[in-house]
């Protein structure tokens, strides 16, 4: 892995970390949902700081280059996050449906 | 027997009043007592204005929910008001109130928990049979329902149906938001309830636009079949 990539990874993960922290402070992301994003930032940082270890692990998994391994991990994490989000959206859609129905029925009773 | 007609309406300013009047006239002529609740599914046209002006019993959903959520509101209303039978009836003029008696009959005689007004049970039952592409889709869905539940349902997408008290209660908690007709039918069958089909005539829409465009029907079909295949085998 080239030095440029290592520096880019470290800078990116640190910036990413700060962005998530700020979101939590502003309460635009709850701690519960931020954990997986922190995990992602940590993984990238780990790759940047200890490329040797990562190279060894990547080799063990059969990746030819460490950058492919980084992409592989990132995509896997993104898939997990997206699936979780889809589940949350579906649950909330159902909750909104029930709320809409109940509010509309209450409003009808009030007007009668 | 307390009977409620649930009429979902989304942007039905052209049809809703004539649909309502046809039921009121039928009640007068035949001394029947079908109550009506229109579910205005967040219409953006003058549907609400027409409903208020004519003092039609209705629930105005505070936002659009789609056909499944709208109809379910009707079932909740039926449950809260202790109706014995709830009938789903389209607001667009496709369904004929003269057939209501026919689809309530099997419920009255305790022969079925749910009755579907079907275009396809008898070959020449209806002049309006829907488009070719749709019929292929309906037959395919029918095939998968048969595999899953061992019961042949001919008109799987018919929105003209009657249900008894047990099913009203079931539908207040379990009614699919998407593709409600075929999916709810499978759910009812899987729970061991009896479903009957009765031939009815349907008219082409008198105005407005159908909720399923031609472009979307293939997408609709794939989704419905997938939902049926992966449905859990629930039993009573």
């Amino acid at each position: 892995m080239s030095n440029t990539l290592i520096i880019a990874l470290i800078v990116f993960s640190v910036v990413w970390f700060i962005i998530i922290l700020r979101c939590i402070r502003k309460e635009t992301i709850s701690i519960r949902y931020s954990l997986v994003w922190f995990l992602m930032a940590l993984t990238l940082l780990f790759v940047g700081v200890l490329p040797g270890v990562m190279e060894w692990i990547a080799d063990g998994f059969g990746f030819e280059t460490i950058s492919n391994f980084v992409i592989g991990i990132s995509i896997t994490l993104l898939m997990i996050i997206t699936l979780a989000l889809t589940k949350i959206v579906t649950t909330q859609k159902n909750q909104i449906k029930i709320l809409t129905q109940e509010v509309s029925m209450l409003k009808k009773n009030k007007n009668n | 027997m307390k009977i409620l007609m649930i009429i979902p309406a989304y942007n039905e300013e052209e049809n809703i009043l004539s649909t309502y009047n046809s039921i009121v006239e039928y009640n007068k002529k035949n001394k029947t007592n079908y109550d009506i609740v229109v579910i205005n599914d967040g219409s953006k046209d003058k549907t609400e204005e027409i409903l208020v002006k004519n003092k039609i019993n209705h629930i105005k959903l505070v936002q659009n929910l789609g056909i499944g959520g709208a109809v379910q509101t009707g079932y909740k209303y039926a449950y809260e008001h202790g109706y014995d039978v709830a009938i789903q009836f389209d607001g667009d003029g496709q369904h004929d109130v003269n057939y209501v008696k026919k689809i309530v009959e099997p419920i009255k005689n305790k022969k079925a928990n749910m009755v579907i007004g079907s275009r396809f049970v008898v070959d020449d039952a209806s002049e309006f049979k829907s488009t070719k592409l749709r019929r292929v889709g309906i037959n395919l869905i029918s095939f998968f329902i048969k595999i899953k539940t061992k019961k042949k349902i001919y008109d799987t997408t018919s929105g003209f149906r009657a249900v008894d008290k047990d099913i009203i209660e079931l539908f207040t908690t379990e009614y699919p938001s998407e593709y409600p007709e075929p999916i709810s039918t499978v759910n009812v069958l899987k729970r061991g309830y009896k479903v009957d089909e009765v031939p009815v005539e349907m008219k082409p829409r008198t105005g407005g636009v159908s909720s399923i465009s031609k472009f979307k029907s293939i997408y609709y079909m794939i989704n419905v079949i997938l939902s049926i295949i992966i449905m859990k085998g629930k039993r009573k």
Side-chain angles (χ1 to χ4, degrees):
Chain A
M1 208 163 59
S2 72
N3 284 336
T4 338
L5 185 59
I6 290 175
I7 294 167
L9 269 176
I10 293 174
V11 172
F12 181 76
S13 51
V14 170
V15 172
W16 192 230
F17 212 83
I18 295 169
I19 291 175
I20 297 166
L21 255 163
R22 286 185 65 174
C23 285
I24 294 175
R25 288 234 178 88
K26 283 188 198 160
E27 290 179 29
T28 47
I29 294 182
S30 71
I31 302 239
R32 206 181 130 202
Y33 295 137
S34 69
L35 280 179
V36 68
W37 288 114
F38 275 129
L39 187 69
M40 192 141 176
L42 269 176
T43 311
L44 292 178
L45 190 69
F46 192 67
V47 177
V49 177
L50 297 164
V53 179
M54 286 317 274
E55 233 159 284
W56 181 71
I57 299 175
D59 210 46
F61 275 105
F63 284 93
E64 290 201 359
T65 63
I66 189 162
S67 52
N68 276 359
F69 184 53
V70 172
I71 292 170
I73 291 179
S74 303
I75 291 178
T76 309
L77 279 173
L78 283 175
M79 278 174 72
I80 293 169
I81 293 169
T82 317
L83 183 68
L85 284 177
T86 314
K87 278 171 82 175
I88 293 166
V89 167
T90 308
T91 311
Q92 289 190 338
K93 215 179 149 191
N94 198 32
Q95 289 168 334
I96 292 169
K97 181 193 83 179
I98 293 168
L99 278 176
T100 305
Q101 290 173 335
E102 297 299 328
V103 168
S104 305
M105 286 168 80
L106 275 176
K107 265 182 122 175
K108 177 194 161 59
N109 290 341
K110 208 181 98 194
N111 293 337
N112 279 357
Chain B
M1 224 168 41
K2 272 178 84 182
I3 297 175
L4 175 73
M5 310 223 358
I6 300 165
I7 307 176
Y10 177 64
N11 293 347
E12 292 286 5
E13 60 181 9
E14 289 172 51
N15 306 303
I16 192 68
L17 191 58
S18 57
T19 302
Y20 176 79
N21 284 335
S22 74
I23 298 167
V24 172
E25 271 165 40
Y26 181 89
N27 272 338
K28 266 188 211 154
K29 236 192 250 168
N30 299 278
K31 300 203 165 57
T32 47
N33 204 3
Y34 302 152
D35 289 340
I36 297 166
V37 65
V38 175
I39 314 294
N40 178 10
D41 189 12
S43 296
K44 292 186 183 78
D45 63 356
K46 287 186 180 135
T47 303
E48 181 66 18
E49 227 179 289
I50 294 166
L51 292 171
V52 172
K53 210 169 95 193
N54 294 281
K55 297 201 173 72
I56 297 172
N57 183 41
H58 73 281
I59 295 172
K60 181 195 173 205
L61 294 182
V62 293
Q63 63 187 6
N64 179 269
L65 284 184
I67 182 74
V71 169
Q72 190 183 33
T73 312
Y75 286 119
K76 285 186 176 179
Y77 180 89
Y79 179 71
E80 279 189 6
H81 292 79
Y83 282 96
D84 302 301
V85 177
I87 292 151
Q88 202 183 314
F89 195 80
D90 278 5
D92 60 9
Q94 281 196 73
H95 298 159
D96 187 343
V97 65
N98 290 298
Y99 284 102
V100 169
K101 199 180 161 211
K102 223 172 141 188
I103 69 166
V104 172
E105 199 78 3
I107 293 178
K108 246 183 195 164
N109 301 334
K110 305 256 176 227
K111 280 189 181 146
N113 301 93
M114 175 166 151
V115 184
I116 301 169
S118 172
R119 287 163 287 185
F120 312 126
V121 170
V122 180
D123 271 341
D124 51 8
S126 172
E127 268 177 60
F128 173 64
K129 298 266 198 184
S130 189
T131 61
K132 233 182 207 162
L133 181 70
R134 260 223 218 160
R135 288 203 66 178
V136 172
I138 289 168
N139 283 334
L140 250 171
I141 295 166
S142 181
F143 172 74
F144 281 100
I145 292 182
K146 170 93 200 233
I147 288 178
K148 195 83 184 185
T149 67
K150 305 206 165 51
K151 165 96 181 156
K152 181 85 181 164
I153 301 290
Y154 292 88
D155 197 350
T156 51
T157 60
S158 167
F160 188 20
R161 46 184 60 197
V163 301
D164 72 1
K165 232 175 172 158
D166 290 348
I167 310 286
I168 290 175
E169 193 180 351
L170 173 72
F171 281 175
T172 58
T173 52
E174 281 183 30
Y175 198 74
S177 298
E178 285 155 334
Y179 327 111
E181 283 90 9
I183 306 299
S184 61
T185 308
V186 175
N187 189 20
V188 165
L189 283 168
K190 283 247 139 209
R191 285 175 169 272
Y193 290 110
K194 274 192 202 133
V195 176
D196 205 359
E197 255 184 305
V198 163
V200 299
E201 279 179 65
M202 287 190 198
K203 292 167 266 184
R205 295 176 60 88
T206 47
V209 196
S210 164
S211 59
I212 308 167
S213 71
K214 204 173 189 178
F215 190 70
K216 279 186 189 159
S217 32
I218 290 170
Y219 181 72
Y220 172 94
M221 212 180 67
I222 294 169
N223 271 306
V224 170
I225 290 170
L226 204 67
S227 317
I228 292 170
I229 292 172
I230 62 176
M231 259 177 96
K232 240 197 325 202
K234 295 175 235 175
R235 288 234 167 244
K236 227 200 310 195

